[in-house]
């Protein structure tokens, strides 16, 4: 994988849906976990420093880079000649 491929960050539409699903599940789970921790320890500082920061960092490492698992179904675009023929 070249540097250009890492910087471009190409993922397909199904990969975007997968990343969105992962983010949604992690955020809902971390919200529930934060609520339980705040209720158990009665400390907002513990919740913000441990749960919120750790879950945000972990989620960012999983979702933000263009991992190959997000590009299993690449989009194949039509060539110009095929598009011109279909318009006629």
């Amino acid at each position: 994988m070249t540097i250009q491929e890492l910087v471009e960050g190409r993922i397909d539409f199904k990969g975007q849906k997968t990343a969105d699903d992962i983010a949604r599940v992690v955020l809902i789970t971390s919200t529930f976990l934060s609520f339980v921790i705040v209720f158990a320890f009665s400390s907002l500082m513990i919740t913000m420093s441990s749960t919120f920061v750790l879950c945000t960092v972990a989620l960012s490492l999983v979702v933000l880079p263009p991992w190959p698992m997000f590009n299993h179904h690449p989009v194949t675009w039509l060539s110009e000649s095929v598009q011109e023929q279909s318009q006629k």
Side-chain angles (χ1 to χ4, degrees):
M1 186 174 275
T2 64
I3 294 175
Q4 182 180 2
E5 290 174 349
L6 289 173
V7 173
E8 284 183 6
R10 292 184 181 182
I11 63 173
D12 58 19
F13 296 116
K14 289 186 181 185
Q16 289 176 357
K17 170 105 173 73
T18 303
D20 182 55
D21 291 343
I22 291 170
R24 185 171 296 135
V25 168
V26 169
L27 289 173
I28 290 171
T29 305
S30 66
T31 302
F32 179 74
L33 185 63
S34 297
F35 179 76
V36 169
I37 290 173
V38 121
F39 189 75
F41 292 108
S42 298
S43 172
L44 190 60
M45 186 61 156
I46 292 173
T47 302
M48 291 302 288
S49 65
S50 64
T51 309
F52 178 71
V53 172
L54 290 176
C55 288
T56 303
V57 169
L59 181 62
S60 297
L61 290 174
V62 170
V63 174
L64 290 181
W67 298 109
M69 69 180 177
F70 295 138
N71 204 10
H72 283 294
H73 308 284
V75 177
T76 53
W77 301 100
L78 294 175
S79 65
E80 262 185 58
S81 61
V82 174
Q83 288 179 346
E84 289 174 1
Q85 290 174 359
S86 66
Q87 290 177 355
K88 291 182 181 179

